[in-house]
Amino acid sequence: MSQDVNKILDDLSNQFAQQLADQSIKDKRAIAILREENERLKSELDKLKNDAE
């Protein structure tokens, strides 16, 4: 019985760790996309400023 409980706890712990790892990967991808978009917008803003001068 104790082994069954330990197995369940281990399985839950492993699932939770995998979910955290998966979310971390998703977050890193989202951050990379936002950084690229931010750089694109900065370039566009600089271009518009130069065009206005």
Side-chain angles (χ1 to χ4, degrees):
M1 173 105 172
S2 175
Q3 290 176 343
D4 292 339
V5 171
N6 286 338
K7 171 108 174 73
I8 291 170
L9 290 175
D10 285 344
D11 288 346
L12 288 173
S13 177
N14 290 336
Q15 288 175 10
F16 183 68
Q18 186 60 51
Q19 288 174 351
L20 286 177
D22 292 345
Q23 187 60 47
S24 177
I25 291 168
K26 289 177 186 176
D27 290 348
K28 287 177 183 177
R29 286 181 186 151
I31 289 168
I33 290 168
L34 290 172
R35 284 183 176 157
E36 288 175 11
E37 182 70 7
N38 189 40
E39 288 302 314
R40 187 188 67 76
L41 290 171
K42 284 180 183 178
S43 295
E44 188 175 325
L45 179 59
D46 287 342
K47 182 179 179 283
L48 290 170
K49 284 180 180 178
N50 289 337
D51 289 349
E53 290 176 355

